[in-house]
Structure formats: structure tokens, C-alpha cells
Amino acid sequence: STWGTLFSFFFQIHMAAPVDNLDTVISEHVPAELAAEVRRMLYGVEWDALPIAEDAAATAARFNFEIRAYGKKAAKESTRRPRNVRVAVIQNSIVVPTTEPIEVQRDAIFEKIGRILDAAGAMGVNIVCLQEAWTMPFAFCTREKQPWMEFAEDAVEGAATTFLSNYARKYNMVIVSPILERDSVHQETVWNTAVVISNSGEVIGKHRKNHIPRVGDFNESTYYFEGNTGHPVFQTAFGKIGVCICYGRHFPLNWQAFALNGAEIVFNPCATVGALSEPLWPIEARNAAIANSYFAFAINRVGTETFPNEFTSGDGKPAHRDFGAFYGSSYAAGPDGSRTPGLSRVRDGLLVTEVDLNLSRQVRDKWTFQMTARLEMYAELLDRATEHDFVPQVIVDTTVPRS
């Protein structure tokens, strides 16, 4: 069978060497006569391959990052023009050791991201989203406040926004910048925040991470708590976007709330490691795109980040200095259930897509998920479930003896 053959090939590859990219494995090791069917089973209706601009390809080759580009069309309509938007995501590793001064670490990442943004500009990208806490190593595993809290910055006047605003203006590009925010208005409280920068270079607004993990080395609540901004949708020049930050991807209601507020594109900037979450990764953003009839973009960093001091996380594991490997694999998913191949598990990369936002309504009309959602029924249950005297609706089989 196709699945049996596929399993055999994947098992052989797994035993031989680490996998850089699932799509590369398919191309190199699955027989040509099966490859198209395997991709259909894994990814749904295949996205079109888009040409890579010469300048973008040259920049990627020079600075050693990957570019992939795919397109998703909608059916032609007589009453609406196509709403084609170029949407991209960036995944990257840190550049210098975590023992270097904060400014050196940050500025080295800025230099790397600037080059990738130049490639995005050459590709005509309209909206781009960076990975979670992109300006820094993901140091929240350490539980140390210093020096890592020095990466926190003001959402409007901080170094990241100042840096990215220039690129937003230069390339007429909306940029979503997830940072460690220091709230200068409220006694310098720290948040995990995504700042949305207009193609004019001005800040449209921000969203703070709704769900904070307390699992394994993800000791983030030492630094910040759950956000207080709700589920804002930002109406940009190119479409309505939401940002579901990292751990929030595990909560279907979190994804749905952005849809209820009108999102057409939802980004999921993350920092997650293979031993913990990789089996979940290909599923969650894709499920969100299906359930909510929008485009979803999952972004994860790459590389292993080593810290000066050992740490533990109360899970019985020996003290260690790294989180494990961040596995990249950033991808885009469409409302029709299809998705792109992922970027590399180990390399910096730029994923560019051209999507027709008209597809969302076409899918809603076909599947009628929104019409049949029964929100009032679930709202009533959730309202009761939040009360301290909530009684679950359980009907007991009285014929079964009780112990």
C-alpha cells in the first residue's frame, strides 16, 4: 500500500540520519510515481510553486538561508475581484553566543533579519511575521532575570520597532514583530507581545500572549503572565490579521476568537522544541485554518541555544544548559484544509505565499461551519462551567453496580 511504502521509507531515513525537511525526504526517497499521492495525503490540494526573484535568490545564497514560495488561488468570481496578498514568515537561529553583551546579541540578530527582509521585499511581500521573541535567545527556560530582562523594550519606541519601521516603509510591508515588551505606562511590567507595524512604518497596535505554558523547561510565568488585550484583529492595508502567540495554538477557542473578530489571516509565532511538541506541530495551525475558514501561518525558530548556567525544571531531569533543538518547519495552511510544505527543520528560512483571500468565503459557503456552529449552545455551557458550583451534565447508568 502507499502508506506501507511511505512508512518503510521514513523508517529507513529516520535510522540513517536526522531529517532536514519532510518534503525533501519525499522528493529524494519516495518513488516518483508515489510522491504526488503522498503529498496529497499529507498536505491536501497542492499549492502552486511560485518563482523566486533573482535578487531574493542571490541574497539567500549569499547569506545561507532558505526561500520557498507557494501560491493558493480561489475560484474566479463575477462580483468580486481576486484579493491576492503576498504573506511571508521568517524563521531563524540566534547568531552569537548567549554570553555576549545584550546589545551584541540583539544587533547580530537585527543584521540577519534585515537581510531576510531584503529578500522578502524583493519577493513583493505585503505582510511578514517574525518568530516569537525574535530579538533574543529564548532564555525563559533559565528562570534567571538577569541579563535576559534587558531584552525587554517599549512596543512603540523600542529598538525592534525602530529597526523594523524602516523596512516597513522601504518595502510597503506590514510587519508583525513579536518581542519581550516592557510596558512603560504600567510600572515597566513585562509581557510577551506582538507589535503590528503598518506599511507606513507606524505602529497599528499590539497583542499580548493569551496562554502561558508551565510545562517542562517553558518557565515563562517567571517573566510574564497571561495577556490582557483579548483577541484584537488589525485591519491593515492588505487584510485583517490576528496573532495567536505560541502556546495559544493548543486552545481551539483562542484561534476561534480571532475568527469571530473578523481575522482573514492569523499568525502563530512560536518557540518550541522537538522532544515536546513536534507531533502536534503539523496539525494545530492547519486545524485552525479549517475550523475558522482563514489562512493560518505557523512560525518556529531553529537551532539549539546554550546558556551560561545550568538549570532544572522540577521534572527529574539532570541539570542542563539548553532547551533542546528548535525544529523550524514553518508553514502556511489554507481554509480548504491544504497546507504548504514546511521550511527546513535546521536552517534559517523565508516562506513566501501568495493567497487569494476570497477563498475564505468560498470555503465558508461550501462547508457552512460558521452557520452551523451553535455558538449560543456552547456559550451557555461555558458560562455555567466557569461557576464554582458547576455540575457536569453526566447521565449515570443506574444498572451498573457502584463500588
Side-chain angles (χ1 to χ4, degrees), residues 130-146:
L130 283 65
Q131 65 198 24
E132 182 183 21
W134 72 272
T135 65
M136 61 181 291
F138 208 71
F140 311 120
C141 52
T142 68
R143 297 199 302 276
E144 299 170 338
K145 296 300 179 71
Q146 291 297 324

Side-chain angles (χ1 to χ4, degrees), residues 241-370:
I241 64 175
V243 190
C244 172
I245 303 175
C246 198
Y247 193 65
R249 72 184 182 278
H250 304 307
F251 301 88
L253 287 175
N254 199 39
W255 290 101
Q256 185 182 33
F258 293 107
L260 292 174
N261 282 328
E264 300 169 305
I265 298 164
V266 176
F267 295 104
N268 179 220
C270 297
T272 185
V273 292
L276 179 68
S277 66
E278 197 163 11
L280 312 181
W281 182 255
I283 300 168
E284 290 175 303
R286 189 177 182 185
N287 279 354
I290 295 168
N292 297 295
S293 303
Y294 53 43
F295 288 91
F297 291 78
I299 311 116
N300 187 25
R301 64 175 60 203
V302 292
T304 299
E305 302 170 355
T306 303
F307 296 95
N309 301 317
E310 290 186 332
F311 56 87
T312 62
S313 296
D315 54 8
K317 295 181 179 179
H320 46 288
R321 286 191 171 91
D322 68 77
F323 225 134
F326 297 99
Y327 54 82
S329 306
S330 303
Y331 70 95
D336 63 346
S338 66
R339 54 155 288 185
T340 68
L343 290 176
S344 170
R345 297 175 71 251
V346 297
R347 295 181 64 199
D348 297 343
L350 170 67
L351 174 65
V352 178
T353 68
E354 182 171 300
V355 300
D356 186 344
L357 298 181
N358 284 349
L359 182 62
S360 291
R361 191 167 80 180
Q362 293 175 5
V363 170
R364 284 196 294 270
D365 288 347
K366 177 180 180 179
W367 282 100
T368 68
F369 291 151
Q370 287 68 34

